[in-house]
Amino acid sequence: MTTTQTRDAQHERRITTALFAAGLTTFASMYSAQALLPSISAAFGATPAHAALAVSLTTGFLALASVPASALSSRIGRTKVMIGSAVAAAGIGLLLPLSPSLGVLLAGRALQGIALAGVLAVAMAYLGEEIGGAGVGAAMGTYVAGTTVGGLAGRLIPAFTLTLASWRWAEAVAAVAAAACTVWFIRGLPPSRGFVARPAGIRTVLGDLAKQLRHRGLFALFGLAFVLMGGFVSIYNYLGYRLIGAPFGLPEALAGLVFVLYLAGTAASAVAGRLADRIGRQQVLAASVGLMAIGLAVTVPDHLGTVILGVLLYTAGFFGAHTAASTWVSVIAEGNRGAASSLYLFAYYLGSALVGGAAGIAYARGGWLGLAGGIGILLILAGMLVWALAIHSSGSARHSGVVGA
């Protein structure tokens, strides 16, 4: 290996390590409230659907801010936007436990979502620019693995703290952990090598977005992001309510241990990234969506063992699908990769906000069976989108003379 190759390899390792830390801090911040939803309901006398806004508003405003954050990063640099956003999100998180009312808490969570957009909407574009095509799947898998560990920590840390203190202390401990990961991320993030500044005027931004939306393959991937994330966040938003209620009756802290199942996503995302490089993104995506459908069906019976197994399978399938889809976006995006990744994130978190909030209505009216029925419809739509992607991929391969996804 030459000196240049060694330096490139070290640069790529620094990137993947730093973005692993970015995944930790952003997802720990984003989902720290999810494990606390029953406690927030009790503290403020709120319904499950109202309390779930502590998650939906964060992801909804993150979705709205993802495109502007990406445009800003195209002008001033990827690393500057990611670092500034991570610091802002961590600072807001440290203030959330002081919220005097549910309204103030929800407003703070919305602001935190705007700040988080500057990391999440830019990370995919940064990876695509800095790491060669042969290794981008594995790198994306490592990044997504970081998000799963962050999501797990953001849920488990508050759940454990609830055994000793109130939701405020639980949120505070999670915020301190996220702030520590932010320091790790900032210290480890290397400067960009592949970034080329682009003008960020409104015409340029709209032109870049329109170009990505006209790409049929990307459009299908954006649709997948919406339906898959919407169903996934709905499962975890209302799982705690199911487990502490009849017939399970688990203590709230014990019910929070179900988030350990996020480790299935950590493993699945890393494996899916490598498999996407080896056997093709299309095959990994189809298999992952199928695994989600099987897992959803297994959660329906009122038996704790099947519920846990079903959520485990659903989680592994979701993160496998997300890794394959996000890698695919980075590879096939034309022109401004930041525009493509921001649209993917916009759809992803819009699905979380809209479907995750609306699912509370389905859960209130039909219980877990009603919720599972709604998510099942989303998975049918996902299957149709995977089929459309297969057709598009086949047509593109024939047109270019290339075989495979």
Side-chain angles (χ1 to χ4, degrees), residues 282-367:
Q282 180 180 313
Q283 290 81 357
V284 173
L285 187 56
S288 297
V289 172
L291 186 61
M292 291 176 70
I294 294 170
L296 179 66
V298 174
T299 67
V300 173
D302 284 330
H303 185 278
L304 186 59
T306 59
V307 171
I308 292 173
L309 176 62
V311 175
L312 175 73
L313 295 175
Y314 191 96
T315 301
F318 169 76
F319 280 105
H322 174 44
T323 299
S326 55
T327 301
W328 209 335
V329 170
S330 295
V331 170
I332 68 174
E334 299 173 351
N336 186 358
R337 281 193 177 94
S341 63
S342 66
L343 284 170
Y344 179 85
L345 268 296
F346 173 78
Y348 187 81
Y349 289 110
L350 190 66
S352 172
L354 296 183
V355 179
I361 301 173
Y363 182 72
R365 293 182 176 179

Side-chain angles (χ1 to χ4, degrees), residues 58 63 82 123 131 198 359:
T58 305
M82 286 193 290
I131 295 182
R198 297 169 58 91

Side-chain angles (χ1 to χ4, degrees), residues 33-390:
Q34 196 169 51
L36 302 176
L37 292 180
S39 291
I40 292 172
S41 287
F44 296 109
T47 64
H50 192 189
L53 290 174
V55 177
S56 296
L57 283 175
T58 305
T59 56
F61 275 85
L62 191 159
L64 293 174
S66 61
V67 173
S70 176
L72 181 63
S73 76
S74 295
R75 183 169 187 173
I76 69 172
R78 310 295 189 201
T79 56
K80 288 181 181 178
V81 171
M82 286 193 290
I83 290 172
S85 298
V87 171
I92 293 169
L94 293 170
L95 296 175
L96 288 177
L98 305 177
S99 302
S101 66
L102 181 58
V104 173
L105 175 64
L106 296 181
R109 292 286 294 167
L111 289 174
Q112 194 173 37
I114 294 172
L116 290 170
V119 181
L120 295 173
V122 177
M124 287 172 59
Y126 177 76
L127 269 178
E129 291 168 349
E130 299 298 316
I131 295 182
V136 69
M140 190 69 75
T142 301
Y143 167 59
V144 175
T147 70
T148 65
V149 176
L152 172 64
R155 292 162 168 96
L156 281 186
I157 291 173
F160 283 133
T161 308
L162 281 176
T163 62
L164 303 173
S166 69
W167 73 267
R168 295 183 187 276
W169 281 104
E171 182 69 41
V173 173
V176 170
C181 290
T182 297
V183 174
W184 178 18
F185 164 58
I186 293 171
R187 289 176 63 86
L189 185 69
S192 297
R193 289 182 178 178
F195 171 74
V196 178
R198 297 169 58 91
I202 187 65
R203 282 191 175 184
T204 302
V205 172
L206 292 178
D208 287 341
L209 296 176
K211 181 177 181 179
Q212 309 304 333
L213 288 171
R214 286 194 297 267
H215 191 297
R216 291 184 179 181
L218 285 174
F219 192 81
L221 288 166
F222 300 154
L224 267 172
F226 181 91
V227 298
L228 293 181
M229 182 56 168
F232 178 73
V233 78
S234 297
I235 287 279
Y236 277 95
N237 271 358
Y238 304 103
L239 183 60
Y241 289 101
R242 184 187 186 191
L243 294 179
I244 65 176
F248 304 109
L250 298 180
E252 194 169 328
L254 184 59
L257 289 177
V258 75
F259 293 116
V260 170
L261 298 177
Y262 248 62
L263 291 174
T266 306
S269 56
V271 172
R274 290 193 294 270
L275 287 177
D277 288 335
R278 189 174 305 167
I279 67 174
R281 296 171 292 275
Q282 180 180 313
Q283 290 81 357
V284 173
L285 187 56
S288 297
V289 172
L291 186 61
M292 291 176 70
I294 294 170
L296 179 66
V298 174
T299 67
V300 173
D302 284 330
H303 185 278
L304 186 59
T306 59
V307 171
I308 292 173
L309 176 62
V311 175
L312 175 73
L313 295 175
Y314 191 96
T315 301
F318 169 76
F319 280 105
H322 174 44
T323 299
S326 55
T327 301
W328 209 335
V329 170
S330 295
V331 170
I332 68 174
E334 299 173 351
N336 186 358
R337 281 193 177 94
S341 63
S342 66
L343 284 170
Y344 179 85
L345 268 296
F346 173 78
Y348 187 81
Y349 289 110
L350 190 66
S352 172
L354 296 183
V355 179
I361 301 173
Y363 182 72
R365 293 182 176 179
W368 191 261
L369 186 60
L371 180 68
I375 296 173
I377 293 173
L378 294 178
L379 288 178
I380 291 173
L381 293 174
M384 295 171 64
L385 288 167
V386 172
W387 178 67
L389 269 168

